[in-house]
Structure formats: C-alpha cells, structure tokens
Amino acid sequence: MDEFKYFAFISYNKADEKYAKQLQKQLEAYNIPQVIRREKGIAQKKIHPVFRDKTDIGVGALEELLKEELKRSRYLIVICSPNAARSRWVDKEVREFAGMGRSDKIIPYIIDGSPDT
C-alpha cells in the first residue's frame, strides 16, 4: 500500500494560480512510462491525485491543514516565479517539506510564459 495520498503537492503564490491550475490538469492526465514506474518503484500509472489548495484543501486551521497535506504528498512541486520568491506561504511549504528530510523530492517548476488554456 502506498504511504502517500497525493502524488504531488503544488506550492505557488496566488498570483500564479493559472500556472498551478494548468500544471495540475496536465500532470493528472499524464501516463507515467512503465520504465520510469519500475525504476522509481511507483505502482500507479497516472500522476494522480495532485494536491492544489483550490481543489483539495479541507476546513480547519490553514497552516496545520497544509502541513498535513505536505506529509501526505510524495513530491513537492514549487512553481518558481518572482511572486513565489516573495511568498511567505511558499517559503513555509518548502521549509516544512525539507524539514521532513525530503529535500530530494522537491521539484522546481520555473514559469517563463503563459500556460496553454
């Protein structure tokens, strides 16, 4: 049984929400090649589910909820932008995930243009 509820957690600044939404959609539609699944020990064929606050956050204390969802995520994908660099929340999420000893599971996603819509 997989120990993670989410394949990935997307960390982003709200000004970059369009990128986060598009990334979540693209990732959840992607089929992981069998060779990569074998190499990484991943049983599932899809990158699903991907946590994004607008679609997956529950009710309660926001900071505690986000910490819990980070723990339940295999990877942390950070949408890197000037907005994210100034974001207190993005910083907290990255520090929390790294503090779990999982820095090697942080994936930067550098934005440099408009997402396809």
Side-chain angles (χ1 to χ4, degrees), residues 11 37 42-43 54 59 71 76 78-79 92 94 96 102 104-105 110 117:
S11 179
R37 291 195 328 257
I42 299 169
K54 295 290 185 185
V59 177
K71 287 179 191 172
L76 173 63
V78 181
I79 295 186
K92 280 181 164 227
V94 170
E96 184 70 30
R102 297 168 57 209
D104 62 325
K105 303 292 186 204
I110 301 167
T117 54

Side-chain angles (χ1 to χ4, degrees), residues 73-99:
S73 300
R74 179 186 299 268
Y75 295 96
L76 173 63
I77 301 171
V78 181
I79 295 186
C80 300
S81 72
N83 299 316
R86 293 185 297 270
S87 172
R88 175 175 78 89
W89 284 102
V90 171
D91 183 63
K92 280 181 164 227
E93 290 164 357
V94 170
R95 288 179 186 275
E96 184 70 30
F97 201 80

Side-chain angles (χ1 to χ4, degrees), residues 32-99:
I32 306 168
Q34 186 175 22
V35 67
I36 293 173
R37 291 195 328 257
R38 236 179 297 167
E39 180 183 306
K40 300 292 183 184
I42 299 169
Q44 64 197 75
K45 294 180 180 181
K46 293 266 190 195
I47 297 177
H48 187 273
V50 174
F51 178 91
R52 184 171 63 89
D53 63 346
K54 295 290 185 185
T55 58
D56 299 296
I57 198 75
V59 177
L62 184 60
E63 191 165 347
E64 290 306 313
L65 287 170
L66 290 174
K67 282 182 184 181
E68 186 59 33
E69 301 305 10
L70 282 165
K71 287 179 191 172
R72 300 168 78 190
S73 300
R74 179 186 299 268
Y75 295 96
L76 173 63
I77 301 171
V78 181
I79 295 186
C80 300
S81 72
N83 299 316
R86 293 185 297 270
S87 172
R88 175 175 78 89
W89 284 102
V90 171
D91 183 63
K92 280 181 164 227
E93 290 164 357
V94 170
R95 288 179 186 275
E96 184 70 30
F97 201 80

